Amino acid sequence: MRTVIHKLFFVWDFDKEEKWLCDMAAKGFTLVSVGFCRYEFEKCDPGEYGVRLQLLNHRLHHPESQHYLSFLEETGAEHVGSFLSWIYLRKRTSEGAFELFSDFESRIKHLNRIILMVISIVAANLYIGIFNILMCFFYHNEANYLGFINLAIGLIGSVGIWKLLRKRKKLKNDKQIFE
Amino acid sequence: MANMALTEAVYYILLSLTKPLHGYGIIQNAEKLSGGRVRLAAGTLYGAINSLIEKGWIESLPEDKSSRKKEYVITQTGREILIIEIERLKELLRNGEEILGG
């Protein structure tokens, strides 16, 4: 019996998404496939699996990503699904605590990758949005509402960047004291 | 460069690779050496292995056809780095014990 749940997480809340997926596993629902705002679960023993997600350096089918995935599988992690360059992994809790990163440096590197991706999306949307709105304004084109949609995406994304930077600052502070 | 401290992860990876091991073997060995305290996470280990290969401190062995797992081993440079690090760690320990009267 598979259960499908539709739920939206912003990319900067990936840690909340991860926690939700772990909570689901603790309740006896293990993730078996993912899509856009779509999560598919199967029954498992409560707490049988831990779940982690990661943004890859490259596209999923890039040889480097495939090499990384087989490296992860060697350590007992199982690749259950992907969305764009995000991979979703699970590992049996009987094989020990499931973490992808064990130091601040690699956590910061991963965050940097996410920040860079969000910045490029935000920059493109702000640029297109403002350009279109100005075009409407100066050349009295017929109202181009798409510009406002881009602007809204850009502004929401800016809040996301701010949240991500705050997460990174906390990690950097800890890194000054601990390894 | 000579005065840089190694991270705990790098230190245990280099120590583990004094004999050839694959990724999971390094995780198990580091855990065993540290009495269960150091648990290298796969993502962190993967990044560290790539950086160490780039620096020439470790190398990957030619792949064995029978096994898909890649094995790695320390290089001469890696050994030298370890010896310097052990001297640094001795200094830390010596100073700590002298000052706190350990």
Side-chain angles (χ1 to χ4, degrees), chain B residues 15-67:
Chain B
L15 264 189
S16 300
L17 290 179
T18 45
K19 55 179 191 290
L21 280 177
H22 51 78
Y24 190 50
I26 298 173
I27 295 177
Q28 288 175 314
N29 195 57
E31 194 169 342
K32 200 180 80 192
L33 283 176
S34 66
R37 189 180 58 82
V38 174
R39 308 178 85 128
L40 297 172
T44 298
L45 175 63
Y46 187 80
I49 286 177
N50 286 337
S51 312
L52 292 176
I53 290 177
E54 220 167 274
K55 281 189 177 297
W57 295 2
I58 64 170
E59 59 193 2
S60 61
L61 293 174
E63 252 167 283
D64 186 355
K65 288 225 169 60
S66 60
S67 133

Side-chain angles (χ1 to χ4, degrees), chain B:
Chain B
M1 192 64 213
N3 290 323
M4 296 282 256
L6 301 184
T7 65
E8 201 171 74
V10 166
Y11 182 72
Y12 271 119
I13 293 169
L14 290 177
L15 264 189
S16 300
L17 290 179
T18 45
K19 55 179 191 290
L21 280 177
H22 51 78
Y24 190 50
I26 298 173
I27 295 177
Q28 288 175 314
N29 195 57
E31 194 169 342
K32 200 180 80 192
L33 283 176
S34 66
R37 189 180 58 82
V38 174
R39 308 178 85 128
L40 297 172
T44 298
L45 175 63
Y46 187 80
I49 286 177
N50 286 337
S51 312
L52 292 176
I53 290 177
E54 220 167 274
K55 281 189 177 297
W57 295 2
I58 64 170
E59 59 193 2
S60 61
L61 293 174
E63 252 167 283
D64 186 355
K65 288 225 169 60
S66 60
S67 133
R68 278 174 54 233
K69 294 175 185 176
K70 225 178 196 172
E71 283 198 318
Y72 309 89
V73 75
I74 196 166
T75 61
Q76 191 51 40
T77 319
R79 275 180 195 274
E80 284 160 20
I81 296 285
L82 257 187
I83 290 166
I84 295 170
E85 177 65 5
I86 289 166
E87 282 309 312
R88 191 189 69 86
L89 292 171
K90 276 185 192 162
E91 176 215 294
L92 292 182
L93 201 61
R94 204 166 50 234
N95 283 329
E97 286 179 343
E98 259 174 39
I99 292 172
L100 289 183

Side-chain angles (χ1 to χ4, degrees), chain A:
Chain A
M1 246 296 277
R2 291 197 165 192
T3 313
V4 175
I5 297 181
H6 294 272
K7 201 170 163 74
L8 171 72
F9 285 100
F10 287 118
V11 67
W12 45 87
D13 286 331
F14 70 97
D15 41 1
K16 285 189 189 148
E17 182 179 358
E18 202 171 69
K19 189 177 175 301
W20 177 67
L21 292 169
C22 282
D23 289 346
M24 288 299 289
K27 283 188 232 160
F29 294 94
T30 178
L31 186 70
V32 284
S33 114
V34 284
F36 179 65
C37 298
R38 185 179 185 280
Y39 302 86
E40 207 171 320
F41 299 91
E42 250 173 22
K43 278 243 176 249
C44 67
D45 291 333
E48 189 182 350
Y49 290 100
V51 185
R52 288 287 175 262
L53 36 145
Q54 185 182 357
L55 178 66
L56 293 172
N57 263 331
H58 306 275
R59 281 170 301 103
L60 181 66
H61 296 289
H62 192 280
E64 174 58 34
S65 301
Q66 291 300 314
H67 185 237
Y68 179 56
L69 278 178
S70 60
F71 186 90
L72 288 179
E73 274 164 15
E74 207 186 292
T75 67
E78 197 185 328
H79 176 215
V80 287
S82 334
F83 179 66
L84 301 175
S85 287
W86 283 90
I87 49 168
Y88 292 73
L89 306 145
R90 68 175 187 184
K91 186 178 170 182
R92 284 183 195 280
T93 43
S94 57
E95 291 184 41
F98 185 24
E99 290 292 347
L100 286 176
F101 306 113
S102 48
D103 62 11
F104 291 115
E105 186 62 35
S106 49
R107 284 202 178 89
I108 292 170
K109 266 193 189 160
H110 183 228
L111 259 185
N112 280 342
R113 207 144 68 215
I114 300 168
I115 291 171
L116 209 67
M117 182 194 72
V118 179
I119 284 180
S120 57
I121 294 171
V122 164
N125 276 287
L126 286 181
Y127 176 78
I128 296 168
I130 291 169
F131 182 79
N132 277 334
I133 292 165
L134 288 180
M135 287 290 277
C136 294
F137 207 70
F138 287 120
Y139 297 99
H140 303 289
N141 284 357
E142 49 197 88
N144 189 346
Y145 295 114
L146 281 177
F148 287 98
I149 294 174
N150 287 124
L151 192 65
I153 294 173
L155 292 176
I156 294 169
S158 302
V159 176
I161 294 173
W162 176 74
K163 283 188 170 183
L164 287 168
L165 290 175
R166 239 180 20 169
K167 278 179 203 174
R168 188 175 68 176
K169 182 151 193 304
K170 195 178 169 305
L171 286 177
K172 282 192 169 173
N173 285 344
D174 285 345
K175 196 186 156 224
Q176 286 191 320
I177 305 176
F178 303 107
E179 196 178 281

